[in-house]
Amino acid sequence: MTMGSSKVHVLALPFPAQGHINPLLQFCKRLVAKGVKVTFVNTVFLSKSMHTDPKRSINFETISDGYDDGDYAAAESFEAYVEKFATVGSKTLADLIMKLEDDGKPVQAVIYDPHLTWALDVAKQFGLVTAAFFTQMCAVDSIYYHVYHGLLSVPLSDSPISLPGLPLLQPNETPSFIYLHGSYPAYRHLQVNQFSNVDQADWVILNIFDKLEEDAVNWMARLWRVKTVGPTVPSMYLDKRLEDDTGYGINLFKPDSSLCINWLDNQPKDSVVYVAFGSWIGIEAEQVEEIASALMEIGFRFLWVVRALEKEKLPSNFVDETSEKGLVVTWSPQLEVLAHESVACFVTHCGLNSVMEALSLGVPMVAAPQLTDQPTNAKFIEDVWGVGVRAAADEKGIVRRETLVSCIREIMEGEKGKQIKENGIKWKTLAKEAIDEGGSSDRNIDEFVAELISGAGQPDA
Ligand code: UDP
């Protein structure tokens, strides 16, 4: 449903990483389709380095994170990056809002990633409507919320954790920054601190859909005005209502698209194991070796994404020795890959976007979570949604070859694999229904847009 043309102009600010940009950009495309004008804000560095789709309905602008010639790796530490981004980002975001005003394109609302808490403060200074766009599962948000408010004590004890609306969680099913107390303190702070000022936001938006986490969403809706708007996967893979929305449109790495798809076209139906660990985490060299050994041993065809920076971790003879049955690329067009009929199984690090993509396309997963929210996502994949199996890591945090082999076999050939595929079909249908006309997410987006247009939710002028 289109809400008719309107003058509402929204500024959208993601955290500058692929996994954060993708869902917010997709939400913005839905807003545009419903008559909202959107300006999407990237950092100067990313806007210089990203590969974009030329056909787009969204305006792009930039602010600075203080590192215009290099990403956060250019900073002295992640902590230093976050601090500088807060200072320089606040100033340049305010400048951008004023520039748009001067250009006759005033902004009425800011949708910001709550990892950038300062964006809310800037928006408030201008009296704008604010929406915090969370990019993690509601369960993960809930865990961090409880930690932030001292309602879940850390370090965790060995006992299972019971939180409202969530299944009972073992300590190692919480985010790694929580159960591995003291690990990556700057990242942990960024996550937990999302809740420092969210009470002041007019809206909380989640990139999942209601049925995935019904109880957790109901719990959260008691705290804030919550809207689920997912899955935030391009429309052509779900409801097909947004013409031309075949991909996210921004790639921080250049995909080997024709290489991947030509190769997949030549493989039999349901024969390929796709392995990818997202855009961001560095994989331990030992883990790369274990995956390589598993793929060599197992005999199935495979497509494996090993990012350029990680390639040196591959055993030196691996690519040559497996070229008959496998392909290694540095970045894939992941959605096209998951939608391809030759792909039967996805070995994933369980980044939420990858999980939502596989779930929306009904591809069974072998969950090999590494860090951050991934262990919690993996818990839901296996135990709540039943769309995959978890490959358990050993005490060093490495998933061993034998475990990978047995999990992949389970999906490709086992009895459990059949049930998982059936569950996958169910969730694929529910995902499409949620975002399709009249579905829960579609209605939520309509309500959000209607209130933006009517000015409801706006703070008193
Ligand atoms: N992705 C891709 N090609 C690849 C690997 C990943 O296009 O070879 C995309 C993937 O489709 C997803 C995003 O990058 O949308 C990664 O986000 P996710 O949340 O899965 O993981 P993160 O990168 O945040 O760890």
Side-chain angles (χ1 to χ4, degrees), residues 14-27 113 115 133-137 140 206-209 212 229-234 237-238 248 250 252 274 276-280 331 334-335 338 346 348-363 365 372-374 377-378 381 385 431:
F15 187 82
Q18 187 81 62
H20 292 248
I21 291 171
N22 287 0
L24 182 55
L25 188 59
Q26 284 311 122
F27 177 52
D113 189 313
H115 290 91
F133 185 90
F134 281 85
T135 52
Q136 291 171 326
M137 284 184 62
V140 171
L206 303 175
N207 64 334
I208 48 129
F209 57 98
L212 283 174
V229 299
T232 45
V233 166
Y237 295 93
L238 289 164
Y248 291 107
I250 291 184
L252 301 190
Y274 172 59
F277 282 65
S279 64
W280 180 74
W331 191 248
Q334 182 159 301
L335 275 161
L338 290 173
F346 180 18
T348 171
H349 73 312
C350 304
L352 187 57
N353 294 289
S354 293
V355 174
M356 287 302 121
E357 290 160 9
L359 189 129
S360 300
L361 290 160
V363 182
M365 287 172 262
T372 179
D373 58 336
Q374 298 152 18
N377 300 346
I381 289 172
W385 307 321

Side-chain angles (χ1 to χ4, degrees), residues 272-291:
V272 174
V273 177
Y274 172 59
V275 186
F277 282 65
S279 64
W280 180 74
I281 48 165
I283 311 288
E284 297 284 338
E286 203 174 345
Q287 183 64 79
V288 174
E289 277 166 35
E290 294 293 327
I291 298 170

